[in-house]
Amino acid sequence: MLSCLAPSLTPIYKEQGLDAFLAHETANASNPMARGPFGNFLHKLSALRRVFLSEGNVSKVRIALVTARNAPAHERVIRTLRAWGTPADEAHFVGSRDKAPILKALGAHIFFDDQEKHVLSAAAVVPSGHVPGPHDPATPVIPAG
Protein backbone atom coordinates (compact mmCIF):
# COMPACT_ATOMS: atom_id res chain seq x y z
CA MET A 1 0.00 0.00 0.00
CA LEU A 2 2.94 2.30 0.12
CA SER A 3 2.13 3.08 -3.48
CA CYS A 4 -0.75 5.17 -2.18
CA LEU A 5 1.71 7.64 -0.74
CA ALA A 6 3.46 10.30 -2.76
CA PRO A 7 6.96 9.30 -3.87
CA SER A 8 8.14 12.91 -3.52
CA LEU A 9 10.69 11.92 -0.88
CA THR A 10 12.83 10.14 -3.44
CA PRO A 11 15.10 13.18 -3.97
CA ILE A 12 15.89 13.35 -0.25
CA TYR A 13 17.10 9.77 -0.20
CA LYS A 14 18.87 9.93 -3.58
CA GLU A 15 20.57 13.27 -2.95
CA GLN A 16 21.27 13.13 0.79
CA GLY A 17 21.10 9.47 1.79
CA LEU A 18 19.19 7.29 4.22
CA ASP A 19 20.07 9.25 7.37
CA ALA A 20 18.71 12.48 5.84
CA PHE A 21 15.55 10.67 4.74
CA LEU A 22 14.96 9.26 8.22
CA ALA A 23 15.65 12.66 9.81
CA HIS A 24 13.13 14.24 7.41
CA GLU A 25 10.49 11.63 8.21
CA THR A 26 11.03 12.04 11.96
CA ALA A 27 10.80 15.83 11.72
CA ASN A 28 7.65 15.57 9.59
CA ALA A 29 5.95 12.68 11.37
CA SER A 30 2.92 14.86 12.17
CA ASN A 31 2.61 16.19 8.60
CA PRO A 32 0.46 13.93 6.38
CA MET A 33 1.93 13.05 2.99
CA ALA A 34 0.30 14.00 -0.29
CA ARG A 35 -1.60 11.33 -2.17
CA GLY A 36 0.38 9.21 -4.58
CA PRO A 37 -0.77 7.15 -7.58
CA PHE A 38 -3.26 5.05 -5.63
CA GLY A 39 -4.53 7.64 -3.14
CA ASN A 40 -8.00 7.84 -4.70
CA PHE A 41 -8.20 4.06 -4.97
CA LEU A 42 -7.41 3.76 -1.27
CA HIS A 43 -10.18 6.25 -0.43
CA LYS A 44 -12.69 4.22 -2.44
CA LEU A 45 -11.51 0.98 -0.89
CA SER A 46 -11.87 2.55 2.56
CA ALA A 47 -15.43 3.63 1.70
CA LEU A 48 -16.21 0.04 0.68
CA ARG A 49 -14.67 -1.14 3.94
CA ARG A 50 -17.04 1.15 5.87
CA VAL A 51 -20.08 -0.20 3.98
CA PHE A 52 -19.35 -3.66 5.38
CA LEU A 53 -18.35 -2.48 8.86
CA SER A 54 -20.19 -4.36 11.62
CA GLU A 55 -21.21 -3.00 15.01
CA GLY A 56 -18.08 -4.65 16.39
CA ASN A 57 -15.97 -2.46 14.07
CA VAL A 58 -15.00 -5.42 11.87
CA SER A 59 -15.36 -5.37 8.10
CA LYS A 60 -15.45 -8.05 5.43
CA VAL A 61 -13.14 -5.74 3.48
CA ARG A 62 -9.79 -5.54 5.22
CA ILE A 63 -6.89 -3.27 4.35
CA ALA A 64 -3.34 -4.29 5.22
CA LEU A 65 -0.25 -2.20 4.69
CA VAL A 66 2.94 -4.12 3.98
CA THR A 67 5.79 -1.71 3.35
CA ALA A 68 9.57 -1.58 3.18
CA ARG A 69 9.48 1.41 5.50
CA ASN A 70 10.48 0.78 9.06
CA ALA A 71 11.17 2.80 12.19
CA PRO A 72 11.36 5.75 12.46
CA ALA A 73 9.70 6.35 9.06
CA HIS A 74 6.64 4.31 10.07
CA GLU A 75 5.03 7.00 12.22
CA ARG A 76 4.38 9.35 9.31
CA VAL A 77 2.64 6.58 7.36
CA ILE A 78 0.30 5.79 10.24
CA ARG A 79 -0.51 9.45 10.82
CA THR A 80 -1.08 9.98 7.09
CA LEU A 81 -3.56 7.13 6.84
CA ARG A 82 -5.42 8.47 9.88
CA ALA A 83 -5.48 12.01 8.45
CA TRP A 84 -6.86 10.69 5.17
CA GLY A 85 -9.57 8.71 7.00
CA THR A 86 -8.25 5.50 5.46
CA PRO A 87 -7.38 3.20 8.34
CA ALA A 88 -5.48 0.00 7.81
CA ASP A 89 -6.63 -3.08 9.69
CA GLU A 90 -3.03 -4.24 9.86
CA ALA A 91 0.33 -2.60 9.20
CA HIS A 92 3.60 -4.44 8.68
CA PHE A 93 6.81 -2.42 8.41
CA VAL A 94 9.16 -5.06 7.06
CA GLY A 95 12.30 -3.13 6.16
CA SER A 96 14.46 -5.16 3.79
CA ARG A 97 12.65 -8.46 4.41
CA ASP A 98 10.60 -10.17 1.70
CA LYS A 99 6.92 -9.19 1.70
CA ALA A 100 5.62 -12.47 0.20
CA PRO A 101 5.56 -14.52 3.44
CA ILE A 102 3.54 -11.82 5.20
CA LEU A 103 1.12 -11.49 2.29
CA LYS A 104 0.67 -15.26 2.28
CA ALA A 105 0.04 -15.35 6.04
CA LEU A 106 -2.49 -12.52 5.69
CA GLY A 107 -4.35 -14.36 2.95
CA ALA A 108 -4.13 -11.19 0.86
CA HIS A 109 -6.36 -11.01 -2.21
CA ILE A 110 -4.33 -8.41 -4.12
CA PHE A 111 -1.06 -6.52 -3.70
CA PHE A 112 0.36 -3.35 -5.26
CA ASP A 113 3.87 -1.95 -5.02
CA ASP A 114 6.01 0.64 -6.78
CA GLN A 115 9.07 -1.60 -6.88
CA GLU A 116 9.02 -4.38 -9.44
CA LYS A 117 11.19 -6.69 -7.30
CA HIS A 118 8.51 -6.70 -4.58
CA VAL A 119 5.76 -7.32 -7.12
CA LEU A 120 7.62 -10.25 -8.68
CA SER A 121 8.25 -11.84 -5.29
CA ALA A 122 4.68 -11.33 -4.08
CA ALA A 123 3.19 -12.62 -7.35
CA ALA A 124 4.08 -16.17 -6.27
CA VAL A 125 1.50 -15.95 -3.46
CA VAL A 126 -1.02 -13.23 -4.45
CA PRO A 127 -2.15 -11.40 -7.61
CA SER A 128 0.18 -8.40 -7.73
CA GLY A 129 0.35 -5.17 -9.66
CA HIS A 130 3.19 -2.77 -10.32
CA VAL A 131 2.45 0.92 -9.81
CA PRO A 132 5.17 2.76 -11.69
CA GLY A 133 6.44 5.89 -10.04
CA PRO A 134 8.51 8.78 -11.31
CA HIS A 135 11.72 7.05 -10.29
CA ASP A 136 14.22 4.59 -11.64
CA PRO A 137 12.73 1.11 -11.05
CA ALA A 138 16.20 -0.22 -10.25
CA THR A 139 16.59 2.23 -7.37
CA PRO A 140 14.45 1.76 -4.23
CA VAL A 141 12.20 4.69 -3.44
CA ILE A 142 12.41 4.14 0.27
CA PRO A 143 15.24 1.85 1.23
CA ALA A 144 15.16 -0.49 4.12
CA GLY A 145 17.79 0.41 6.62
Side-chain angles (χ1 to χ4, degrees):
M1 226 28 101
L2 180 58
S3 303
C4 299
L5 306 174
S8 61
L9 298 174
T10 304
I12 295 172
Y13 168 69
K14 286 179 83 171
E15 295 169 10
Q16 302 172 37
L18 180 58
D19 290 339
F21 170 77
L22 294 175
H24 178 271
E25 289 299 281
T26 300
N28 288 282
S30 297
N31 300 325
M33 289 181 259
R35 290 187 197 179
F38 263 133
N40 289 332
F41 175 72
L42 179 59
H43 273 273
K44 291 176 183 179
L45 188 59
S46 293
L48 183 62
R49 181 185 175 278
R50 283 190 297 275
V51 167
F52 291 100
L53 200 61
S54 70
E55 290 181 26
N57 205 29
V58 175
S59 179
K60 293 179 183 179
V61 177
R62 296 184 47 80
I63 299 172
L65 171 70
V66 181
T67 177
R69 281 184 177 242
N70 53 10
H74 71 293
E75 184 177 355
R76 190 169 190 203
V77 173
I78 293 168
R79 290 177 182 264
T80 295
L81 294 176
R82 287 179 183 162
W84 290 358
T86 54
D89 295 289
E90 295 186 44
H92 301 270
F93 299 90
V94 301
S96 61
R97 290 181 294 279
D98 186 15
K99 296 177 181 181
I102 293 169
L103 294 166
K104 184 176 181 180
L106 288 171
H109 290 96
I110 194 163
F111 172 73
F112 299 102
D113 202 285
D114 60 356
Q115 294 183 53
E116 189 175 9
K117 69 177 184 175
H118 295 303
V119 173
L120 293 174
S121 171
V125 298
V126 61
S128 303
H130 181 235
V131 181
H135 59 274
D136 178 0
T139 305
V141 174
I142 298 171

